[in-house]
Amino acid sequence: MTHGIHNRRQLLRIGGAMSMLGAASPFAAQLMAAGNAASQSAPDYKALVCIFLFGGNDSHNTVLATDSDSWGRYFAARNTGNAPIALMPVGTPPTPVGATSPVTGRVAQANTPEAWGGVLPIVPRTPNPIPAGTNATVRTFGLHPFLGPLKTLFDAGRLGVVANVGTLIRPITKAQYQGRTVAFPANLFSHNDQQSTWQAGQTEGARVGWGGRYGDLLSSLNGNGSLFTAISTAGNAVFLSGQSVVQYQMTTAAQPAVVITGQSANSLFGSTVAPGRVRDIITDTSSASLFAADYATTTGRSIGAATSVNSVFASSAATGVQAAPAYVNPITGATETNSLAVQLQTVARMIAAAPTLGAKRQVFFVSLGGWDTHDFQNTAQANNLAKVAHAMAYFDSALGNLGGVNMRPAVTTFTASDFSRTFTTNGDGTDHAWGGHHFVMGGSVRGGDIYGQYPTLGVDLGTFQNPDMSRASLVPTTSVDQYGATMGRWMGVSESNLDTIFPNLGNFGTRGLGFLG
């Protein structure tokens, strides 16, 4: 009976959303139709994992062009200020702390690039096109010195780079942006607005994200496990909010689902009977008040879900997931907690528990803060990049043998961030910018390649006119819509539904970026 009540109320909520949203009502109708069609078959498991880097990661020090022309412009722009942030060239050995660098002539400190050695070379399987303004016959590339684990994954073909991604309405050139002749997203350099636009296609205040919309369309494949379609270990995220799917928020504890106080205890106020009595009261749906009855149904469902998750996490499937190795800060040498690795361990345990929960399609959200590097970029970003590499490599390893099964082909993990940062330095950090480079990882990823156009580097000096950069900020050449749609198609979302979820997708000639089969 409770299940039937829940279904009717869910339909009423969808109907209410249709009446309140007006123009969005066709989408709600499509959700119901797509859900009915999808529920007739249950495909193999697939999961999408978003790693959001809050604050705006400086991608210019993450994925670098290392050909002599590009490197010369990069080094000239960043080897300045009180605390230069220019990394060392490929092949440069680390300079011992206290010794003088043969590259810069400065004394190396633990938190300066001289002590880290050169950037790590990567060789894309497909040569990236040489853009206008770049005087190189062949472009070469590298990763930040602390991204060694990601270089290993790139070389193994399970990690790809997507170049110069940003929030866009339609393709735009530098001249069009500067002349304001083509529409572009509002509030480009605002943290809150761009975090929301990346996750939901609208500035702050958006209520439905594209991860949640995927969940709306695919949750029927999860049967009784539909409550576990959209899962966050990083608090409330608009990315996971759907029109019918409600994100399930978890902690990273051994028992990750929070149960209402007293419901997980053997006794309450000294009584072994009290927990059950309290549960009966707060889940009593017989009230004449529709609000009270509906609240009781929701509370009962929440208690049941939390109990199920905690029970499954105590099973061998979840407890057998390998733990993340210790993380050592590469600058201080101190052992630290890598919160991102801890979150991904919880995600791995949830994936291991998916068969028991009945889940076939899941979307996850994890995050790491501390990327707003206006000051002290060398210390902050370097350690954060090392954490990302450590966490992603751990997650790849855990998925490689999850309960005796290689789950890598079933899980695609990708990075996202507010925006990138300026090509020039403010002396010890960088400021808000626009387009940036991102990583995609998984057994279904066509790794070992750079997708999209890696841009021309350099600020306008003298006669040099950079077609890709305005005021030291990259004008994106790949849209978040294309990035997200490529992953949605892999998850099983139809082309027509992708156009509904990403209304600007049709403005771009290339709908898919090719990094997933």
Side-chain angles (χ1 to χ4, degrees):
M1 182 62 183
T2 302
H3 184 63
I5 291 172
H6 167 58
N7 286 343
R8 287 196 296 275
R9 286 182 178 142
Q10 189 174 44
L11 287 174
L12 287 172
R13 184 169 69 169
I14 293 174
M18 291 170 67
S19 63
M20 289 187 293
L21 295 175
S25 60
F27 178 60
Q30 290 174 29
L31 290 179
M32 287 189 287
N36 289 335
S39 64
Q40 297 174 13
S41 62
D44 292 336
Y45 179 87
K46 284 187 178 180
L48 197 61
V49 182
C50 174
I51 299 176
F52 205 94
L53 312 178
F54 280 104
N57 174 42
D58 178 9
S59 63
H60 294 298
N61 265 22
T62 303
V63 182
L64 304 90
T66 58
D67 57 87
S68 59
D69 181 60
S70 299
W71 187 264
R73 295 173 183 173
Y74 161 84
F75 204 77
R78 296 201 148 194
N79 189 37
T80 60
N82 297 326
I85 60 173
L87 301 175
M88 299 298 104
V90 170
T92 305
T95 299
V97 172
T100 300
S101 166
V103 176
T104 65
R106 293 188 293 269
V107 175
Q109 303 297 329
N111 63 344
T112 63
E114 289 87 352
W116 309 337
V119 298
L120 308 174
I122 56 173
V123 182
R125 297 177 180 181
T126 306
N128 202 257
I130 299 174
T134 299
N135 300 318
T137 55
V138 176
R139 286 198 111 177
T140 56
F141 300 93
L143 302 177
H144 190 283
F146 292 161
L147 292 180
L150 296 192
K151 170 180 164 55
T152 299
L153 290 171
F154 185 92
D155 293 343
R158 295 196 299 277
L159 180 90
V161 173
V162 185
N164 200 11
V165 187
T167 55
L168 288 170
I169 295 173
R170 59 181 64 252
I172 188 171
T173 65
K174 171 185 173 180
Q176 289 170 331
Y177 168 64
Q178 291 179 331
R180 303 302 195 261
T181 58
V182 169
F184 55 86
N187 303 337
L188 279 181
F189 308 113
S190 158
H191 284 295
N192 291 350
D193 289 308
Q194 289 309 295
Q195 289 165 9
S196 179
T197 304
W198 255 91
Q199 296 179 44
Q202 298 176 22
T203 53
E204 188 175 18
R207 302 184 67 176
V208 180
W210 50 272
R213 289 176 173 180
Y214 289 169
D216 288 333
L217 291 165
L218 300 170
S219 64
S220 60
L221 299 173
N222 292 338
N224 293 332
S226 61
L227 276 175
F228 309 113
T229 299
I231 300 170
S232 172
T233 63
N236 186 55
V238 69
F239 174 73
L240 291 181
S241 295
Q243 289 185 331
S244 60
V245 162
V246 178
Q247 59 186 292
Y248 192 83
Q249 299 178 39
M250 302 174 64
T251 73
T252 56
Q255 295 285 284
V258 178
V259 182
I260 295 174
T261 301
Q263 292 306 296
S264 60
N266 294 322
S267 66
L268 182 63
F269 304 125
S271 169
T272 58
V273 178
R277 294 290 175 85
V278 171
R279 181 185 184 116
D280 291 341
I281 293 170
I282 62 179
T283 60
D284 182 7
T285 60
S286 64
S287 172
S289 166
L290 293 177
F291 175 82
D294 195 53
Y295 178 82
T297 299
T298 302
T299 302
R301 189 168 64 247
S302 176
I303 293 174
T307 302
S308 296
V309 169
N310 287 337
S311 176
V312 169
F313 265 54
S315 69
S316 59
T319 58
V321 173
Q322 69 181 72
Y327 172 74
V328 177
N329 185 318
I331 295 174
T332 66
T335 300
E336 299 178 354
T337 297
N338 183 352
S339 64
L340 183 58
V342 174
Q343 291 176 72
L344 288 174
Q345 181 177 350
T346 298
V347 172
R349 296 176 72 192
M350 198 66 178
I351 293 172
T356 303
L357 295 172
K360 291 286 189 177
R361 288 290 186 276
Q362 292 182 295
V363 185
F364 295 90
F365 185 89
V366 300
S367 72
L368 184 66
W371 301 88
D372 194 15
T373 52
H374 289 283
D375 299 297
F376 311 109
Q377 177 161 316
N378 285 335
T379 301
Q381 192 210 22
N383 186 33
N384 263 352
L385 286 175
K387 287 182 177 180
V388 169
H390 170 263
M392 291 181 70
Y394 153 70
F395 192 48
D396 170 81
S397 177
L399 292 174
N401 184 15
L402 207 60
V405 178
N406 177 16
M407 293 296 290
R408 287 169 176 154
V411 182
T412 295
T413 304
F414 67 98
T415 63
S417 192
D418 320 14
F419 34 62
S420 184
R421 309 193 74 82
T422 52
F423 187 64
T424 52
T425 175
N426 59 25
D428 58 5
T430 50
D431 298 311
H432 302 181
W434 193 358
H437 318 308
H438 289 279
F439 297 115
V440 286
M441 180 185 79
S444 292
V445 171
R446 294 168 174 161
D449 240 331
I450 295 177
Y451 293 87
Q453 177 63 68
Y454 195 95
T456 301
L457 299 178
V459 293
D460 291 341
L461 299 172
T463 59
F464 173 65
Q465 293 296 314
N466 186 344
D468 297 328
M469 194 171 289
S470 176
R471 296 183 180 179
S473 175
L474 284 177
V475 177
T477 48
T478 295
S479 71
V480 174
D481 292 25
Q482 293 168 293
Y483 189 47
T486 303
M487 291 178 277
R489 188 176 295 108
W490 173 78
M491 287 284 284
V493 178
S494 70
E495 293 299 322
S496 60
N497 282 322
L498 288 174
D499 283 321
T500 305
I501 294 169
F502 300 105
N504 298 319
L505 184 60
N507 296 334
F508 300 91
T510 303
R511 296 172 60 86
L513 301 178
F515 57 78
L516 278 165

